[in-house]
């Protein structure tokens, strides 16, 4: 039986450095695991309001890796991925970006994640 | 024209604030410090909600159930359609700003002519009521005030403007201008593209298929598709926004395009932007209102419309406190009268 705390534990991994980013990116890619990234800024209300929902999505889609990147903390990654506005969501599979969503549209994000995860399952099978 | 239907014509409110210029919080964030709940509370009073949002280093852009909201450090712009009570946001916004140490120094309200004016609630029954309501809710320091109805040859197409400021002539960005385009009687085939067809990524596909994504390729687009039809988008490009809202139903079809530009941009860019936007809809009637301190802007408008077969039917010009010169032009297809 799972301890109650497990349910509240966030599956979202906070990336705090370029090294951390490279590590998780490579690991997930090697494992054939889709990655969902939320680029956020602590001062940007549209992205901050998406944090709780992102945690929910992480719980709902256990087959994908969920990362959150603060564009001020890890500027290099934000620049590398050409993030110009927040929130920006990147869906990655097999080492490449398959979808880039700009803006906080909960329903649309969920649909896109679902599509990527589903297609991944079919491929693996 | 249908007897009743959704009102596409928007009401637009722009509020300017000032605070302590030496306070970095004010200059960098200002109104952007307002928490989401506070914004939602104001929008509830107006009777709309946020459906999508995005922000960059300069401002936050929200797509609403009934149009858009832009929050800059010292400026807020709300544009709402349907039967929203937009002016009811003035008092709570002034109050929220005051809590952040910001004082209102300018207010501008504009709108076209409603297709279904009788469906509008208080205080939007008529322009006179709107002006009285605004004045009742503005503090006395906004002492320069002007209200005007700018006509066209068609009584169904007038442009209503109310502008007030605390300092006549100050607080404007040299070279910057705003263009508000209102289009009616959209081409039926093109309007059909704004009906939801089901499937995923409806908004992104609609943006691409209709050509909206091509109007300003440099802008980041935050889009939204409504059920069963209707479309909204906010474009974000540096510190400038653009916004499009579409009511595609036959009988009361409407589309609006608004954007901010600068006279220091390539002059051909202004023409091309307008042309591309209007071509998405191929409307029978277009009204364009430009707000600027320079004349180059409104001369470009006719240059954009003529190649599309749209002839200028009316021209009206007026000066307003702080806003500068507002020029209102209407165009209809050349074969018409």
């Amino acid at each position: 039986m799972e301890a109650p705390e497990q349910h509240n534990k966030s599956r979202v991994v906070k990336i705090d450095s370029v090294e951390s980013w490279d590590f998780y990116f490579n690991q997930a890619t090697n494992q054939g695991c889709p990655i969902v990234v939320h680029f956020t800024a602590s001062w940007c209300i549209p992205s901050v309001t998406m944090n709780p929902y992102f945690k929910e999505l992480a719980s709902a889609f256990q087959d994908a890796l969920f990362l959150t990147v603060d564009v001020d903390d890890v500027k290099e990654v934000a620049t590398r991925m050409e993030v110009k506005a927040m929130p920006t969501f990147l869906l990655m599979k097999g080492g490449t970006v398959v979808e880039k969503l700009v803006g906080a549209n909960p329903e649309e994000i969920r649909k896109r994640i679902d599509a990527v995860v589903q297609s991944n399952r079919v491929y693996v099978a | 024209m249908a007897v009743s239907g959704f009102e596409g014509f928007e009401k637009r409110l722009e509020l300017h604030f000032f605070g302590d210029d030496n306070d970095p919080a004010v200059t960098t964030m200002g109104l952007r410090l307002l928490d989401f709940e506070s914004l939602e509370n104001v929008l509830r009073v107006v009777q709309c909600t946020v459906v999508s949002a995005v922000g960059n280093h300069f401002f936050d852009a929200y797509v609403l159930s009934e149009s858009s909201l832009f929050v800059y450090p010292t400026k807020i712009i709300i544009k709402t359609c349907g039967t929203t009570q937009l002016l009811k946001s003035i008092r709570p916004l002034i109050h929220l700003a005051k809590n952040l140490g910001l004082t209102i120094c300018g207010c501008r309200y504009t709108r076209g002519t409603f297709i279904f004016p009788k469906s509008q609630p208080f205080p939007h029954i008529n322009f006179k009521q709107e002006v009285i309501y605004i004045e009742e809710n503005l503090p006395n320091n906004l002492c320069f005030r002007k209200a005007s109805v700018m006509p066209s040859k068609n009584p169904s197409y007038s442009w209503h403007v109310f502008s007030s400021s605390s300092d006549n002539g100050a607080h404007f960005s040299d070279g910057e201008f705003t263009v508000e385009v209102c289009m009616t009687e959209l081409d039926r085939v093109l309007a059909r593209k704004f009906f939801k067809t089901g499937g995923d990524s409806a908004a992104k596909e609609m943006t691409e298929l209709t050509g909206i994504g091509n109007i300003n390729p440099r802008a980041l687009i935050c889009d939204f598709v409504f059920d069963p039809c209707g479309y909204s988008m906010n474009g974000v490009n540096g510190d400038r926004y653009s916004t499009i809202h579409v009511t595609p139903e036959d009988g009361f079809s409407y589309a609006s395009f608004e954007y901010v530009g600068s006279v220091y941009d390539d002059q051909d860019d202004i023409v091309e932007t307008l042309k591309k936007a209007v071509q998405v809809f191929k409307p029978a009637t277009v009204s364009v209102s430009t707000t600027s301190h320079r004349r180059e802007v409104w001369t470009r408008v006719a240059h954009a419309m003529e190649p599309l077969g749209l002839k200028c039917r009316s021209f009206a010009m007026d000066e307003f406190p702080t806003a500068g010169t507002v020029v209102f032009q209407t165009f209809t297809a050349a074969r018409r009268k």
Side-chain angles (χ1 to χ4, degrees), chain A residues 48-104:
Chain A
V48 168
T49 53
M50 284 303 285
N51 287 339
Y53 187 70
F54 198 63
K55 282 196 186 128
E56 259 180 57
L57 289 171
S59 299
F61 295 96
Q62 299 273 335
D63 292 345
L65 174 66
F66 284 75
L67 307 175
T68 182
V69 179
D70 184 301
V71 301
D72 293 315
D73 291 346
V74 203
K75 284 194 179 75
E76 205 187 298
V77 176
T79 310
R80 198 196 291 178
M81 307 313 288
E82 294 180 350
V83 174
K84 296 199 180 87
M86 285 68 65
T88 290
F89 296 93
L90 288 185
L91 272 65
M92 300 191 286
K93 209 170 73 172
T96 53
V97 176
V98 296
E99 192 90 45
K100 185 177 190 179
L101 293 154
V102 176

Side-chain angles (χ1 to χ4, degrees), chain B residues 64-311:
Chain B
L64 309 176
S65 52
E66 320 254 0
S67 294
S68 295
L69 162 68
F70 302 102
V71 184
Y72 287 79
T74 55
K75 180 172 73 179
I76 240 183
I77 296 164
I78 317 182
K79 188 165 171 160
T80 62
C81 56
T83 52
T84 47
Q85 297 168 294
L86 179 58
L87 295 178
K88 286 192 169 179
S89 67
I90 297 179
R91 191 169 282 223
L93 283 172
I94 292 178
H95 178 79
L96 285 169
K98 250 212 145 59
N99 289 344
L100 291 172
L102 294 163
T103 309
I104 187 167
C105 62
C107 168
R108 187 162 98 233
Y109 176 69
T110 56
R111 68 166 171 86
T113 303
F114 295 124
I115 302 173
F116 308 108
K118 295 203 173 77
S119 302
Q120 291 294 322
F122 174 85
H124 301 282
I125 308 281
N126 53 47
F127 190 51
K128 187 172 170 185
Q129 189 181 76
E130 287 170 314
V131 172
I132 291 171
Y133 187 89
I134 296 173
E135 299 213 285
E136 278 171 359
N137 285 281
L138 290 181
N140 294 333
N141 67 306
L142 266 64
C143 50
F144 297 97
R145 303 177 180 195
K146 179 165 174 175
S148 175
V149 181
M150 301 175 74
S152 72
K153 296 229 169 65
N154 185 340
S156 302
Y157 292 92
S158 301
W159 191 249
H160 306 75
V161 184
F162 170 89
S163 185
S164 70
S165 77
S166 57
D167 195 337
N168 199 16
H171 303 291
F172 63 80
S173 296
D174 181 45
E176 201 175 85
F177 62 81
T178 309
V179 180
E180 294 168 72
V181 184
C182 304
M183 298 169 266
T184 51
E185 291 174 271
L186 312 182
D187 177 285
R188 281 205 189 110
V189 172
L190 295 174
R192 287 303 309 180
K193 292 186 181 177
F194 293 97
F195 280 76
K196 198 165 187 176
T197 50
D200 306 321
S201 242
K204 215 167 167 180
E205 274 162 14
M206 213 176 260
T207 301
E208 290 311 310
L209 282 170
T210 55
I212 285 175
N214 195 38
I215 297 172
N216 180 2
R218 281 183 305 249
L220 277 173
I221 292 179
C222 186
D223 43 29
F224 193 87
V225 174
F226 294 88
D227 230 328
C229 64
Y231 168 93
S232 284
M233 81 78 150
N234 287 336
V236 166
N237 182 17
D239 66 343
R240 301 188 201 165
Y241 69 87
S242 59
T243 184
I244 291 180
H245 302 280
V246 188
T247 301
E249 293 103 313
D250 202 32
F252 48 94
S253 65
Y254 172 87
S256 68
F257 171 62
E258 177 181 332
Y259 86 105
V260 176
S262 166
V263 295
Y264 300 116
D265 292 341
D266 191 308
Q267 291 299 293
D268 288 335
D269 269 355
I270 300 171
V271 174
E272 284 313 302
T273 302
L274 282 171
K275 266 165 85 175
K276 281 190 233 176
V278 174
Q279 279 299 78
V280 170
F281 306 99
K282 289 208 172 81
T285 310
V286 183
S287 77
V288 185
S289 167
T290 58
T291 306
S292 159
H293 285 268
R294 307 271 286 263
R295 78 169 40 188
E296 295 94 318
V297 188
W298 52 263
T299 55
R300 291 276 165 272
V301 175
H303 284 262
M305 300 299 149
E306 267 149 34
L308 304 179
L310 289 162
K311 207 167 169 217

